[in-house]
Amino acid sequence: MSADNAVDAARTDGAPRRGLRRIDLLRLGRAALLGTGGRDRVPDAIEHLTKVHRARHPEAGPEAIETLRRAYVLAESSHRGQMRKSGEPYITHPLAVTLILAELGAETTTLTASLLHDTVEDTDVTLDQVREQFGQEVGYLVDGVTKLEKVDYGAAAEPETFRKMLLATGDDVRVMSIKLADRLHNMRTLGVMRPEKQVRIAKVTRDVLIPLAERLGVQALKTELEDLVFAILHPEEHARTRAMIAANADGPDLLAAVAEDLRRVLREAGIAAEVAIRPRHAVSVHRVLLKRGGAELGSCDFGRLLVVVAEDADCYAVLGELHTCFTPVIAEFKDFIAAPKFNLYQSLHTAVADDRGRVAEVLVRTRRMHRVAEAGVIALGDPHAVAETPQTAEGEPGTRVDPTRPGWLARLLEWQRDAPDADTFWSALRDDLAQDREITVFAAESGESGESTGTVRLPAGASCVDAAYAVHGEAGHRCVGARVNGRLAPLGTRLRDGDTLQLLMADSAASGPDADWLERAITPAARIAITRWLAQHPAADDEDQQTAAPAVRPERTADQPPTAEPVAVTDLPHATVRLARCCTPVPPDGVTGFVIRGGTVAVHRVECPSTARMTAAGRTPVPVRWRDGGSANAYRATVLAEALSRPRLLADLTEAIAAQGVGIVSAAVEPPQEHRVRHTYTVELPDPGALTALMRAMRSVPGVYDVYRARLTVAAARP
């Protein structure tokens, strides 16, 4: 295959062309390294490299080629005598990595750094020497991909190396491009390693490198990495899939017939386009097989049709002809041109059936879109040049997303600074990269000058809690509610693409998250911030504190009298006493206490299941007693009312409770079952004696046949 960019050579005569198929980096790399004279003629590789580079970058002059030559000479001389475990001279590795990047269209600086990427790590060459001979940019890239020493970092060397690379990628995305190409060549030659080491490296590649390749849009690297990992971690399934692909190749090519029909339709419509068959790689075939529930695949399932045109408008013209002359499968249509993926990918996806019932998936894109789809950020060239002159890849003036700061990378760089240790960073990184889709939420904020709206990009599945920390950072602790599309919604509400969100923030800086926010948050930034806050406020991070309520009145306002003394006391000096919400004890209930984190004593009823559970766990009970003459508005209790379902029952019960001078803290109504319904109220009593009168008043409401205190089943259900 020629080194020329396939899509630049797009033809309009309707003939199939191999150039539009997925770039076969493995075949190209082997041919370049071996050369025409065998493996020992390594210098042929630099000649091939320069030819590829000139083909992809005609503007690269003699100075660029001389820079590559000098980088090769330094790399070859510094690695001389070193051998890979495969038995090849070590120089074949940086050469292979550089050839991979050259085929993808990397510019001179990236290729220079790629040739030198292992010199500082594995030879006597220093970073200062690299900077002196090749400049600061090349030095920065080489430093970014250089591993940290295990002797200095121990078991944390690998995660800390990735942290270092990500930080460097935040300033120059080419660092990660070199790392991905480096890992691809290492995965190709992984067979010489011990099986257990192959599995370990393959898992890291699956969990970290492949998602990064996806997010940077480098599909040519991602697809081959996926197949190599698939072969190592699932060898039997990989072998079966390869056998299916081979068997299909020996049969009739039905997809070719559909492709020819499509060429004829586009030719008759006067649309200049190139149509090619794009075979699926092994993992893609396996995914289709799983999607079909293991059912036998047809010939058209082993590939897709790729249509490449000149302009964006032509993409939609092709789509119109497809859906007019064939039967569209509407559920398969996706428009990634109007709404690009977060990795800059753009294409129209559809599926159509011909008059014989053969269904083919079709991708429609422009030449520029095809370059970016294959090579991602590598196709965009020097990111610093992009920042200085914001133009499209076709050279037309316009605004483009800065590839050095995509939203997902900016978020990742934010939370990684707060990761307290390597293990937290490593697990959070894998969780973050597992989120392979993004949504856009419009966040509205009310201010003195009115309401302002900004866009917030979040991973799919993010909640209002995640949005609070994405918008406000550490101040997300103060979020007390949210409006989603104009309606009040729980903080755990999962946001959807295009939602409008207004976060409701408390004025008090003392507000903080509940422990159950961890169950609602999926972004590492939110989870790390919540975990850190809970660690700094240990009383709020205890299981018992989650069910505990202050035994004093709520925080008073300026015109209220001073807060009263707690209604329960303990002999422990300086201990704060709180009444547990799980059993809501009130005088004269028999009570006992347990010290929770922060030195707080949680007061439970003696018969509360939490009491038995903590005693069985070896927790020492603390004597507590009711204070004589406790303060007003200090007693909480949970009562349940069982009744026959009827209209206005809730209103009548609420009115009966209010008539007793009792405040309702919370209320819940279970769905009716066989015309019976149960209401649960947590109330705040003016004094302990008010509980009996309250229950009597509730029983007097028509339709209510039983009122009783909570039987403590909620606490019993807790682990």
Side-chain angles (χ1 to χ4, degrees):
M1 176 177 173
S2 170
D4 294 341
N5 185 2
V7 291
D8 285 336
R11 299 166 60 185
T12 59
D13 58 4
R17 184 178 177 86
R18 295 177 59 195
L20 287 179
R21 297 183 180 182
R22 181 171 288 106
I23 297 175
D24 189 349
L25 295 173
L26 178 58
R27 180 177 61 80
L28 292 168
R30 283 175 174 168
L33 281 177
L34 295 176
T36 57
R39 180 176 295 173
D40 59 341
R41 295 188 61 188
V42 173
D44 285 350
I46 193 69
E47 181 181 355
H48 181 80
L49 172 63
T50 57
K51 288 180 179 178
V52 172
H53 187 45
R54 279 175 174 156
R56 298 300 300 270
H57 293 275
E59 74 282 2
E63 291 184 4
I65 303 306
E66 173 61 17
T67 300
L68 293 177
R69 188 196 67 78
R70 289 192 296 109
Y72 168 73
V73 169
L74 177 59
E76 194 280 329
S77 60
S78 59
H79 287 298
R80 190 174 298 161
Q82 296 179 348
M83 306 294 288
R84 305 194 78 217
K85 289 192 176 181
S86 60
E88 297 172 312
Y90 194 89
I91 189 60
T92 59
H93 171 64
L95 276 171
V97 172
T98 308
L99 282 165
I100 289 171
L101 292 168
E103 292 288 354
L104 291 173
E107 35 64 59
T108 307
T109 302
T110 303
L111 300 183
T112 304
S114 176
L115 284 169
L116 301 169
H117 79 272
D118 275 338
T119 54
V120 174
E121 183 178 321
D122 295 332
T123 75
D124 294 332
V125 175
T126 66
L127 269 177
D128 288 338
Q129 288 176 305
V130 172
R131 294 190 187 103
E132 182 180 347
Q133 295 187 43
F134 299 97
Q136 291 294 330
E137 275 193 67
V138 172
Y140 184 86
L141 298 179
V142 172
D143 184 30
V145 295
T146 299
K147 295 178 183 177
L148 298 174
E149 294 290 342
K150 283 191 176 181
V151 67
D152 296 325
Y153 289 86
E158 185 173 35
E160 290 297 347
T161 293
F162 271 98
R163 192 200 295 253
K164 171 175 172 278
M165 287 181 188
L166 288 168
L167 286 171
T169 300
D171 289 326
D172 197 322
V173 75
R174 293 174 293 182
V175 170
M176 193 54 65
S177 300
I178 296 171
K179 177 59 182 177
L180 290 171
D182 173 65
R183 178 55 61 94
L184 175 56
H185 185 250
N186 283 331
M187 287 293 296
R188 288 174 179 173
T189 57
L190 205 58
V192 298
M193 300 287 187
R194 300 187 308 275
E196 59 272 17
K197 189 167 184 178
Q198 291 185 41
V199 169
R200 184 185 68 79
I201 294 174
K203 286 182 176 178
V204 173
T205 303
R206 176 196 64 192
D207 296 341
V208 179
L209 273 303
I210 288 175
L212 283 171
E214 168 70 17
R215 293 190 176 206
L216 293 174
V218 195
Q219 295 296 321
L221 299 182
K222 176 195 171 236
T223 52
E224 189 178 342
L225 284 172
E226 283 183 327
D227 284 353
L228 292 168
V229 168
F230 187 34
I232 292 173
L233 298 183
H234 307 282
E236 294 181 359
E237 293 180 19
H238 178 265
R240 283 197 298 269
T241 304
R242 296 299 305 176
M244 291 173 58
I245 294 173
N248 177 73
D250 294 335
D253 192 352
L254 302 181
L255 199 58
V258 180
E260 188 56 41
D261 289 343
L262 178 54
R263 291 190 191 98
R264 176 181 52 78
V265 166
L266 297 179
R267 201 163 44 239
E268 292 174 355
I271 300 175
E274 183 173 355
V275 180
I277 297 175
R278 197 169 167 84
R280 291 184 182 273
H281 62 110
V283 169
S284 180
V285 171
H286 184 66
R287 286 172 181 154
V288 174
L289 189 64
L290 294 177
K291 183 179 178 181
R292 304 284 172 82
E296 185 176 351
L297 301 183
S299 177
C300 291
D301 293 324
F302 287 86
R304 294 184 287 186
L305 298 182
L306 174 63
V307 182
V308 173
V309 294
E311 305 292 340
D312 289 13
D314 295 335
C315 293
Y316 293 97
V318 170
L319 182 68
E321 293 298 323
L322 279 169
H323 286 189
T324 300
C325 300
F326 298 88
T327 303
V329 182
I330 301 301
E332 297 295 328
F333 173 67
K334 297 181 181 67
D335 187 347
F336 293 119
I337 295 179
K341 289 187 177 182
F342 62 87
N343 59 5
L344 308 179
Y345 176 87
Q346 289 183 289
S347 284
L348 295 178
H349 288 207
T350 189
V352 295
D354 65 5
D355 54 4
R356 299 183 184 181
R358 296 174 296 199
V359 178
E361 292 186 39
V362 186
L363 312 178
V364 186
R365 58 179 67 144
T366 65
R367 298 183 180 94
R368 173 188 173 275
M369 293 174 190
H370 186 67
R371 282 199 296 272
V372 175
E374 286 288 281
V377 295
I378 298 175
L380 301 181
D382 185 348
H384 301 295
V386 168
E388 293 170 4
T389 309
Q391 295 181 340
T392 63
E394 300 295 338
E396 300 173 357
T399 301
R400 184 176 67 202
V401 175
D402 183 356
T404 65
R405 278 283 179 173
W408 64 267
L409 180 57
R411 289 197 309 273
L412 190 153
L413 293 174
E414 287 173 6
W415 68 251
Q416 70 82 27
R417 296 186 183 94
D418 297 323
D421 52 61
D423 289 339
T424 300
F425 166 76
W426 198 232
S427 60
L429 176 63
R430 296 183 186 209
D431 290 344
D432 191 305
L433 294 176
Q435 307 296 329
D436 60 355
R437 291 194 306 111
E438 276 194 341
I439 61 172
T440 300
V441 175
F442 299 95
E445 288 190 72
S446 297
E448 295 180 1
S449 58
E451 191 174 85
S452 61
T453 303
T455 58
V456 181
R457 298 190 69 87
L458 296 164
S463 68
C464 298
V465 171
D466 296 303
Y469 287 95
V471 173
H472 296 287
E474 291 290 329
H477 297 326
R478 297 193 290 109
C479 185
V480 293
R483 292 182 184 272
V484 178
N485 300 325
R487 295 193 168 197
L488 284 173
L491 287 175
T493 300
R494 298 298 171 188
L495 299 169
R496 295 178 297 180
D497 200 31
D499 279 348
T500 299
L501 173 70
Q502 182 182 3
L503 297 167
L504 308 178
M505 311 299 290
D507 294 331
S508 173
S511 298
D514 294 330
D516 60 358
W517 282 23
L518 286 173
E519 300 176 6
R520 303 170 183 173
I522 67 168
T523 57
R527 295 184 61 83
I528 289 174
I530 295 167
T531 301
R532 185 170 59 249
W533 191 94
L534 294 174
Q536 293 170 353
H537 303 77
D541 193 29
D542 191 275
E543 168 186 78
D544 307 304
Q545 174 59 19
Q546 294 176 28
T547 62
V552 298
R553 294 185 302 183
E555 184 177 347
R556 65 188 180 91
T557 59
D559 57 349
Q560 287 179 317
T563 302
E565 294 294 327
V567 296
V569 295
T570 179
D571 293 333
L572 291 180
H574 310 298
T576 302
V577 178
R578 298 178 182 269
L579 304 183
R581 287 181 183 167
C582 58
C583 56
T584 56
V586 297
D589 293 338
V591 291
T592 187
F594 293 90
V595 177
I596 60 177
R597 276 189 278 180
T600 300
V601 175
V603 179
H604 293 262
R605 288 160 63 180
V606 172
E607 63 270 28
C608 177
S610 293
T611 301
R613 187 181 66 252
M614 288 187 284
T615 302
R619 303 278 288 274
T620 303
V622 175
V624 292
R625 62 184 183 277
W626 297 112
R627 177 186 293 275
D628 294 335
S631 62
N633 297 325
Y635 308 98
R636 285 189 179 183
T638 301
V639 293
L640 291 86
E642 294 191 356
L644 297 175
S645 180
R646 64 172 178 81
R648 288 192 54 82
L649 175 62
L650 178 61
D652 290 346
L653 276 169
T654 303
E655 185 178 347
I657 294 171
Q660 298 298 311
V662 173
I664 299 176
V665 177
S666 65
V669 180
E670 297 179 11
Q673 294 184 355
E674 298 180 353
H675 301 289
R676 294 180 299 175
V677 67
R678 182 164 62 181
H679 293 210
T680 303
Y681 299 92
T682 299
V683 296
E684 200 162 58
L685 306 168
D687 60 77
L691 181 59
T692 302
L694 171 66
M695 296 172 69
R696 186 182 304 113
M698 293 174 68
R699 287 193 187 96
S700 67
V701 173
V704 176
Y705 58 83
D706 195 11
V707 177
Y708 52 89
R709 287 187 66 185
R711 295 188 178 122
L712 311 176
T713 56
V714 175
R718 294 179 65 86

